[in-house]
Amino acid sequence: MEWETLKAQCLACHNCGLCETRTNVVFGQGAEDAEVLFVGEGPGQSEDEQGLPFVGRSGQLLDKYLFAIDLDRKKNCYIANIVKCRPPQNRDPLPAESEACMPWLREQFRLLKPKIVVCLGRVAAQRMIRADFSVVREHGEFYNKNGILFMATYHPAALLRQPRSKPDAFADFLALREKIQEVCEHTY
Ligand code: URA
């Protein structure tokens, strides 16, 4: 299956109850040959309205961090979420909703073949790295899983609530830049 078909199928998804309350499915955005994949939790209100990931306040902060290490969602990275539809009141996705949505992310993974996956926040890190992953304790560390490097950092929304964690998050992005230089072929 190619990107266009995958996206069309995802936009018509009824695999869980979140389809009842969504305005738009937020499939993901970025370069279809990106070597670096960012994975968030799920759409918030702005994302639901626009159909694009990380376009609200936390998205603006994410774009600043990306810019600081020469990443651009339109050019050399890809942004997706664990769930593609907004959970009501921005609650955490239920395990059954994440489970129902994972096949879409798996297909995105298969098409992209990323070299590095950056989990934004606990929900993505616990789903993609380890069920008991602690962002506070383990952010910025790279984990090799079947030749793909996984790392987690603070969710930008958490940084807006707790600006004191921003230096740690920035250090994670600097470590990411080094790792990209080491293992990626055409990102920079
Ligand atoms: N938060 C997320 O986890 N994902 C988005 O796309 C927007 C906000």
Side-chain angles (χ1 to χ4, degrees):
M1 202 190 315
E2 288 310 310
W3 281 107
E4 222 172 302
T5 322
L6 180 68
K7 184 168 181 180
Q9 291 189 0
C10 183
L11 295 193
C13 181
H14 287 84
N15 290 351
C16 83
L18 295 180
C19 67
E20 309 288 339
T21 47
R22 74 179 177 223
T23 311
N24 285 295
V25 175
V26 179
F27 175 71
Q29 181 185 27
E32 293 175 354
D33 65 345
E35 296 170 297
V36 185
L37 167 66
F38 290 85
V39 181
E41 176 177 329
Q45 183 178 353
S46 312
E47 292 76 22
D48 176 61
E49 284 165 6
Q50 297 182 45
L52 292 169
F54 285 99
V55 288
R57 275 188 72 221
S58 57
Q60 288 167 15
L61 182 58
L62 176 61
D63 280 337
K64 281 190 197 166
Y65 281 93
L66 295 178
F67 182 77
I69 62 162
D70 304 303
L71 293 179
D72 178 337
R73 61 167 87 197
K74 297 212 167 75
K75 295 194 182 120
N76 58 356
C77 65
Y78 195 94
I79 305 178
N81 280 303
I82 297 288
V83 294
K84 311 302 195 217
C85 297
R86 182 192 184 198
Q89 279 85 48
N90 299 341
R91 63 163 169 73
D92 280 2
L94 302 173
E97 292 161 349
S98 302
E99 209 48 56
C101 211
M102 278 307 280
W104 300 120
L105 187 58
R106 277 191 209 106
E107 285 298 303
Q108 289 175 308
F109 225 86
R110 188 183 59 78
L111 288 174
L112 209 56
K113 300 184 185 67
K115 296 224 160 59
I116 302 179
V117 179
V118 180
C119 301
L120 299 169
R122 173 183 51 82
V123 169
Q126 293 191 342
R127 172 62 53 167
M128 310 286 292
I129 303 178
R130 230 180 44 245
D132 64 350
F133 191 91
S134 160
V135 174
V136 173
R137 285 199 302 274
E138 302 174 277
H139 69 89
E141 288 176 28
F142 287 90
Y143 299 87
N144 190 325
K145 283 186 157 195
N146 303 318
I148 300 171
L149 293 172
F150 288 75
M151 185 260 255
T153 188
Y154 290 91
H155 193 288
L159 297 175
L160 291 173
R161 288 193 303 271
Q162 302 171 9
R164 66 175 182 277
S165 299
K166 283 184 178 178
D168 279 352
F170 194 66
D172 294 345
F173 275 81
L174 295 181
L176 173 61
R177 173 157 65 187
E178 297 239 314
K179 196 57 87 178
I180 292 171
Q181 281 163 346
E182 201 182 307
V183 307
C184 293
E185 280 152 25
H186 60 258
T187 296
Y188 290 145

